[in-house]
Amino acid sequence: MFAFVELALATGCRRGELLALEWTDLNWTARSITISKSLEQTRAGLRIKGTKGKRPRVFSLPLLAIEALRSQKLTTRGRLIFSDEDGDHLKPDLISQMVVR
């Protein structure tokens, strides 16, 4: 949860935008991240959609966020920055409950 909260604080991004992030959205050299999609939870399940503003946004990241992402990279599997143990998308409701705790 630390990396999720750190990235949320550094960017001000919405929960679904952070949950849709893939490692390819991160530019380690430039210390930036591109937000171009969002994860939505519907009655039918999870789906990826465009962002609310419809245009990609690029954020410069502070060193603390980069370090949190480096630690996150060691614990994740697959293409998603924030994923479950199988490398699948986390449910937005679950994240909200964890942050509240």
Side-chain angles (χ1 to χ4, degrees):
M1 286 306 304
F2 176 74
F4 184 87
V5 172
E6 191 62 43
L7 198 54
L9 291 171
T11 62
C13 288
R14 294 169 181 84
R15 172 186 68 178
E17 293 171 336
L18 295 176
L19 292 176
L21 283 172
E22 298 179 10
W23 289 110
T24 56
D25 296 321
L26 180 62
N27 183 327
W28 293 103
T29 307
R31 288 186 9 198
S32 65
I33 198 153
T34 302
I35 305 294
S36 61
K37 56 196 170 295
S38 183
L39 180 68
E40 179 180 46
Q41 189 168 352
T42 68
R43 289 182 188 188
L46 300 175
R47 75 176 185 106
I48 298 293
K49 64 177 189 167
T51 62
K52 188 174 181 179
K54 306 288 189 237
R55 295 188 351 198
R57 303 184 321 274
V58 178
F59 294 93
S60 294
L61 297 175
L63 191 55
L64 192 55
I66 290 292
E67 291 302 321
L69 288 168
R70 280 194 181 113
S71 294
Q72 181 71 14
K73 181 82 170 147
L74 298 173
T75 63
T76 60
R77 297 170 53 187
R79 71 186 201 296
L80 298 172
I81 292 178
F82 304 108
S83 64
D84 65 14
E85 293 174 353
D86 296 326
D88 295 325
H89 287 285
L90 292 168
K91 292 183 179 178
D93 289 349
L94 175 64
I95 292 299
S96 292
Q97 291 172 7
M98 291 172 73
V99 169
V100 167
R101 279 189 229 145

